Amino acid sequence: MPLLFVGIDPNTGDKQSPTVWADVERGELVLQGWKPGPELEAECAATEVPGHAVGIPEGEAVIRIPARMLRIVREACDVLESHVR
């Protein structure tokens, strides 16, 4: 099954398009967002999280999406919950 488009940043312009999809087959949210600046990425990498090594593992990335997209992220969660058991 292809990705299900859920929504795009309502304030998007021609060059920016944070987007949310639901991958029902894999049971995953797929997020497209802005790359963090070096300071934010370093802060995330340095933050200690219980049960997790410090740093950003290979194959993972930090992204930013605006708070105005929370409704869209919630909708994507609802889509996944209705398809994945």
Side-chain angles (χ1 to χ4, degrees), residues 6-73:
V6 179
I8 192 167
D9 180 357
N11 292 358
T12 196
D14 291 340
K15 296 183 182 183
Q16 297 184 17
S17 56
T19 307
V20 179
W21 296 271
D23 184 333
V24 174
E25 189 171 297
R26 291 185 167 167
E28 299 173 345
L29 292 179
V30 179
L31 305 171
Q32 175 182 323
W34 300 308
K35 292 179 181 179
E39 298 84 15
L40 177 58
E41 190 166 47
E43 182 179 349
C44 291
T47 301
E48 291 190 38
V49 178
H52 187 279
V54 174
I56 300 169
E58 185 68 31
E60 293 186 12
V62 173
I63 65 163
R64 297 171 35 240
I65 60 169
R68 63 182 167 264
M69 292 183 65
L70 289 176
R71 180 196 56 76
I72 295 168
V73 173

